[in-house]
Amino acid sequence: MQQIALVAGGAGFIGANLCDRLLRDGARVICIDNFQTGRAENLRAFEGERAFEFIERDVIDELPEHLSDAGLTHIYNLACAASPPHYQADPEHTMLTNVLGTRNLLRLAEQTGARFLLSSTSEVYGDPEVHPQTEDYRGAVSCTGPRACYDEGKRAAETLAFDFFRARRADVRVARLFNTYGPKMRCDDGRVISNVICQALAGDDITIYGDGSQSRSFCFIDDMIDALTGLMHSEQAAGIPVNLGNPDEWTVNRLADLIVAMTGSPSRIIHHPLPVDDPKRRRPDITRAQALLGWQPVTDLRRGLGETIKWFEEEHNRVALPLYAGAAIAVAAE
């Protein structure tokens, strides 16, 4: 039977890469996005593809009626701005996307019998007091800080998903995504890899927030798409959270030095104050993903960065736009 997948947030970085993989695997794909952070350019490759349908809609709003009769088999919920400058720009919308949007999509899963996957986040662990982070760790999250709209929004989305699962209203999978990078990122998304690459290619000063000793673990997009599709189709992973990410830990300083070397950039590194509630260390324990999915990332950082740098160079040449907008984006390492 052909897979008919709804991808909410499908015009975004991860969503567009997921749509591409599903189409290549022979699925019919329905993409829904409001273009808050997604880009029409990410969908250009699917123009004329008969197995692809795009709906411009905010998942907070009532979903199109025809989706109930579309024969959906799978629903991927990736609908939410995922970087601090974007989700903090409209914190109310961020919270509602995670709560109302997730509820709307879960109800659609309930109506259609489609399996539902929630794209959650390592942000549910907050600034962790346990390292590396396992799925059993309950986190150290501020419910009053500037990141709470996203952190607490995703925690609430998980609550909804697990309540639907316990009530047997939906067949649920929950992925806790750690830092992910690769082609189709935006230069202005506030993530450290896209920031540093675009600044390096433009020859601008490279902004590092804090002293650069904070660490992250970076997963290449192809590996993440393998993990997401594997989780969706896993029978063993129903109703439990699963960390997805690369456990290879890098400091921001070390990452910036590597990108400068790979691009041959003359850029200087300058430091700005660390944003409020920014985690000092972030590294996934992926034991559960390895056991349930037989998955672990295979792309080393140098190779992944090489592909990402090449994509940004080609994107710059294609659209003839500045590589970096020059805005002082107050985020350290997302």
Side-chain angles (χ1 to χ4, degrees):
M1 182 177 71
Q2 184 184 33
Q3 180 185 175
I4 303 175
L6 175 68
V7 181
F13 157 52
I14 295 178
N17 279 284
L18 176 61
C19 288
D20 182 62
R21 174 68 64 83
L22 293 172
L23 288 167
R24 286 191 282 114
D25 287 346
R28 179 185 161 205
V29 176
I30 303 172
C31 168
I32 184 168
D33 204 294
N34 67 351
F35 291 128
Q36 181 189 22
T37 58
R39 302 192 306 161
E41 291 86 349
N42 285 343
L43 306 179
R44 185 172 290 114
F46 312 139
E47 291 178 359
E49 173 60 64
R50 296 181 63 182
F52 181 79
E53 176 186 351
F54 174 70
I55 301 168
E56 186 172 353
R57 185 70 62 92
D58 194 320
V59 294
I60 290 174
D61 301 326
E62 185 176 350
L63 298 177
E65 291 185 6
H66 80 275
L67 290 178
S68 297
D69 302 316
L72 296 176
T73 58
H74 299 85
I75 297 173
Y76 291 86
N77 181 14
L78 287 80
C80 187
S83 67
H86 289 159
Y87 67 63
Q88 290 172 2
D90 189 348
E92 177 187 10
H93 187 269
T94 298
M95 178 64 78
L96 293 179
T97 299
N98 283 312
V99 178
L100 293 183
T102 297
R103 184 199 63 177
N104 288 343
L105 292 166
L106 279 165
R107 286 181 172 178
L108 181 63
E110 181 180 20
Q111 292 167 7
T112 61
R115 180 172 289 178
F116 178 90
L117 185 145
L118 172 67
S119 172
S120 186
T121 173
S122 59
E123 296 291 341
V124 300
Y125 300 124
D127 189 2
E129 299 161 336
V130 171
H131 192 80
Q133 293 80 58
T134 68
E135 292 89 348
D136 293 333
Y137 176 53
R138 296 184 179 183
V141 178
S142 167
C143 64
T144 60
R147 301 170 71 103
C149 59
Y150 185 72
D151 300 3
E152 296 286 22
K154 286 294 188 180
R155 288 162 70 97
E158 286 198 15
T159 298
L160 277 169
F162 291 128
D163 282 339
F164 267 69
F165 179 80
R166 281 187 287 266
R168 300 189 178 183
R169 297 176 63 184
D171 185 13
V172 165
R173 306 292 182 273
V174 172
R176 289 180 178 166
L177 276 61
F178 284 67
N179 294 67
T180 306
Y181 71 100
K184 294 186 169 65
M185 297 180 81
R186 292 174 49 159
C187 268
D188 64 348
D189 66 9
R191 293 180 172 96
V192 65
I193 283 184
S194 50
N195 278 4
V196 175
I197 288 176
C198 291
Q199 290 172 326
L201 290 175
D204 294 336
D205 288 342
I206 292 172
T207 49
I208 298 298
Y209 295 89
D211 63 7
S213 64
Q214 66 271 33
S215 68
R216 296 292 186 271
S217 303
F218 301 101
C219 187
F220 188 60
I221 186 63
D222 290 355
D223 292 328
M224 184 58 72
I225 299 302
D226 286 342
L228 287 171
T229 55
L231 178 61
M232 176 64 94
H233 295 290
S234 170
E235 298 300 329
Q236 291 74 38
I240 56 174
V242 179
N243 285 341
L244 301 179
N246 192 325
D248 188 15
E249 189 175 359
W250 285 66
T251 66
V252 174
N253 282 333
R254 184 180 172 211
L255 172 74
D257 288 343
L258 176 59
I259 292 174
V260 168
M262 291 180 69
T263 57
S265 174
S267 296
R268 300 178 307 131
I269 293 177
I270 60 174
H271 293 267
H272 289 267
L274 194 67
V276 175
D277 294 334
D278 194 77
K280 307 303 185 299
R281 300 186 74 185
R282 183 69 57 71
R283 176 187 168 199
D285 182 313
I286 61 169
T287 302
R288 182 174 293 179
Q290 291 171 319
L292 298 181
L293 313 180
W295 173 87
Q296 63 182 26
V298 297
T299 307
D300 70 76
L301 188 61
R302 286 181 177 271
R303 181 162 73 87
L305 286 176
E307 293 191 30
T308 308
I309 291 168
K310 179 181 177 182
W311 184 85
F312 273 119
E313 290 174 329
E314 293 174 349
E315 181 75 353
H316 167 64
N317 292 333
R318 184 182 68 79
V319 300
L321 292 174
L323 279 162
Y324 182 69
I329 299 175
V331 56
E334 294 311 313

